[in-house]
Amino acid sequence: MDGRDLPRPPRRVPADAGTLTQLQTTTPRTPDLPPRQPWVYGRFLAGFLVVLLIIAAGATAGWLFRAESLRINTGQVLESIGHGVVRVLATTCEGSGEASGVLLENGIVLTAASAVKTPLSIVIVTPDNQIRQANLLGTSADGVAVLRMIGQLEDEPIPLATADPDPKSELAQIGYTAAGQQRIQPVGTTERPRALSEVMNAAKLGGPVVDKYGQVVGLVAGDTVQAATIIGLAKLRAYTAPKPVGLTVEVGGKCARSRGPQSPVVPELQVASTPLAVEAQRMLGDYLTLENRHDFTALQAVYSKYRKKSMSPTRDRDSHQTSYFFDPKITGVSAYGADGAYARMTFNVLFSPDVKGAGGLNCRRFDQRYRLVREGGKLVMDGVEMVLPGQVCD
């Protein structure tokens, strides 16, 4: 047996070594990483996001500012230029006799031609009830009438805009109701217009379309509300130029009978609304409505038996065949007899300057007292007396 076959001696364990109870392995050592460098791309991305937020905030603020700049404050506009939007009343052979209008420089008034076809007399009435005669200078094919006011007014005229409005800018139309109340209504924008039928009545035809600055940028014209359109600024400037373009010169009417507006008349009650006063208001309103409609036969129903003897349909027709009564106000009501009344009323009458007794005038203001009696259970007109002599309207 050689030395290769001898058993190996046991491995010497140091005296201070612990007891090996399980197989132990060594853990590999991870090498140290180099220090982390700044994240340049992240810093760039964060800065880019901040810039985007700033731009977005600026764009939003700009959009809000632009949107606000295009809005119209209708209350402020009406307060600043309402004085220059007038009622146009006429007694005509063919026209409706009623429209709105706008007072421009040099006494020029624009309105709807449908109201003043073949007129015998025209007046304009301001919001504070000043009345001025007006003459028709001409009409356009698209329905605009150009009038010249006679006399002066202290109020400033309304300017025509120098340029068309922004297509997104809000606009409004100013006009009158049949009861003579001035109103302003938004009509959308040039880009997105509102249907005129939503805001119009016949008395508003001829009213101006204005921008947020109170400048005229258009005029509503048409024979009816359904046919109403907005005539643009360029055409209005042509019609009002020193040498007008697009106007046809018009002559006055020559009919023997002319009429004004046909809407019902309700006198303004300036006394306490007692049952007697309200009944007198209703009776006098019926009287004026029938006079304006020239229904002289029906008028007999509002007269007493006594008055019918002196005011026949023929006499009524001869006296009022070109008349239009407007702006009535009942200023006094008192009892008469057992169940009658005295009613004092002021009103204006528009008529042809060529009728007998007109003396070339076309409008007078009257102050009269009516004696009302009861027949068949209702008040009827028994007599009329003048309180003050008739005055020229303007």
Side-chain angles (χ1 to χ4, degrees):
M1 172 186 236
D2 57 16
R4 292 175 294 180
D5 297 327
L6 294 175
R8 292 183 180 182
R11 184 179 177 182
R12 297 184 72 178
V13 179
D16 58 349
T19 303
L20 293 177
T21 59
Q22 62 181 19
L23 183 63
Q24 296 179 350
T25 60
T26 60
T27 301
R29 183 178 179 183
T30 303
D32 294 336
L33 295 175
R36 185 173 182 178
Q37 299 297 318
W39 190 26
V40 176
Y41 176 74
R43 288 186 176 181
F44 171 77
L45 181 60
F48 180 69
L49 290 175
V50 171
V51 171
L52 280 181
L53 289 173
I54 293 174
I55 293 174
T60 301
W63 180 86
L64 291 173
F65 176 79
R66 174 168 169 74
E68 185 65 27
S69 70
L70 297 174
R71 290 176 182 159
I72 187 170
N73 186 319
T74 54
Q76 289 182 358
V77 170
L78 186 62
E79 183 177 357
S80 64
I81 66 168
H83 62 268
V85 179
V86 298
R87 296 177 70 195
V88 177
L89 301 175
T91 175
T92 74
C93 301
E94 300 179 51
S96 68
E98 181 175 28
S100 300
V102 58
L103 178 63
L104 306 179
E105 292 183 343
N106 302 317
I108 294 296
V109 177
L110 297 181
T111 189
S114 56
V116 293
K117 291 180 181 178
T118 57
L120 271 63
S121 291
I122 306 173
V123 294
I124 64 168
V125 185
T126 66
D128 59 352
N129 289 319
Q130 295 185 70
I131 300 173
R132 295 292 184 272
Q133 181 181 346
N135 292 327
L136 177 61
L137 300 183
T139 58
S140 66
D142 52 15
V144 176
V146 180
L147 312 179
R148 172 82 71 180
M149 179 185 70
I150 306 302
Q152 300 292 326
L153 289 171
E154 294 182 359
D155 292 322
E156 291 292 324
I158 301 179
L160 283 174
T162 56
D164 288 327
D166 187 302
K168 298 181 182 296
S169 182
E170 293 180 354
L171 306 173
Q173 196 261 356
I174 306 176
Y176 285 83
T177 67
Q181 301 299 311
Q182 192 181 75
R183 296 287 185 267
I184 184 170
Q185 295 281 351
V187 291
T189 67
T190 304
E191 188 174 84
R192 299 183 64 181
R194 183 179 181 183
L196 290 177
S197 59
E198 296 179 8
V199 300
M200 293 293 296
N201 60 56
K204 287 184 179 179
L205 292 171
V209 176
V210 297
D211 61 16
K212 61 176 292 186
Y213 304 106
Q215 302 175 117
V216 177
V217 297
L219 191 92
V220 178
D223 288 339
T224 64
V225 171
Q226 291 72 24
T229 59
I230 298 177
I231 309 304
L233 179 62
K235 289 186 175 181
L236 299 185
R237 286 196 163 277
Y239 302 155
T240 57
K243 294 184 178 180
V245 177
L247 283 188
T248 300
V249 177
E250 295 286 344
V251 296
K254 297 181 180 179
C255 54
R257 294 179 59 187
S258 63
R259 297 191 299 181
Q262 301 294 288
S263 54
V265 178
V266 180
E268 180 183 340
L269 198 59
Q270 296 188 334
V271 298
S273 299
T274 64
L276 185 62
V278 171
E279 188 177 5
Q281 177 191 36
R282 183 168 56 250
M283 179 264 143
L284 290 172
D286 290 343
Y287 163 70
L288 295 176
T289 298
L290 293 171
E291 284 283 19
N292 285 345
R293 293 176 179 175
H294 292 184
D295 194 344
F296 302 114
T297 299
L299 268 168
Q300 293 292 297
V302 302
Y303 295 153
S304 68
K305 295 176 182 178
Y306 172 77
R307 183 160 180 79
K308 288 177 183 178
K309 296 177 182 179
S310 60
M311 186 58 73
S312 65
T314 301
R315 183 177 177 186
D316 234 339
R317 180 180 299 109
D318 292 343
S319 300
H320 301 124
Q321 61 184 353
T322 68
S323 299
Y324 169 65
F325 295 75
F326 65 99
D327 196 25
K329 295 179 174 62
I330 296 177
T331 59
V333 175
S334 58
Y336 167 70
D339 52 5
Y342 280 117
R344 181 175 175 179
M345 182 171 68
T346 63
F347 55 90
N348 303 302
V349 183
L350 184 63
F351 47 82
S352 168
D354 299 323
V355 297
K356 183 179 179 181
L361 300 175
N362 74 338
C363 185
R364 283 188 178 275
R365 181 177 291 113
F366 291 94
D367 187 348
Q368 295 182 338
R369 189 170 77 150
Y370 297 84
R371 185 176 67 252
L372 310 179
V373 298
R374 196 170 297 278
E375 290 183 359
K378 65 177 184 179
L379 290 180
V380 291
M381 186 183 300
D382 192 56
V384 183
E385 61 181 358
M386 195 82 68
V387 177
L388 294 172
Q391 303 292 319
V392 178
C393 290
D394 54 2

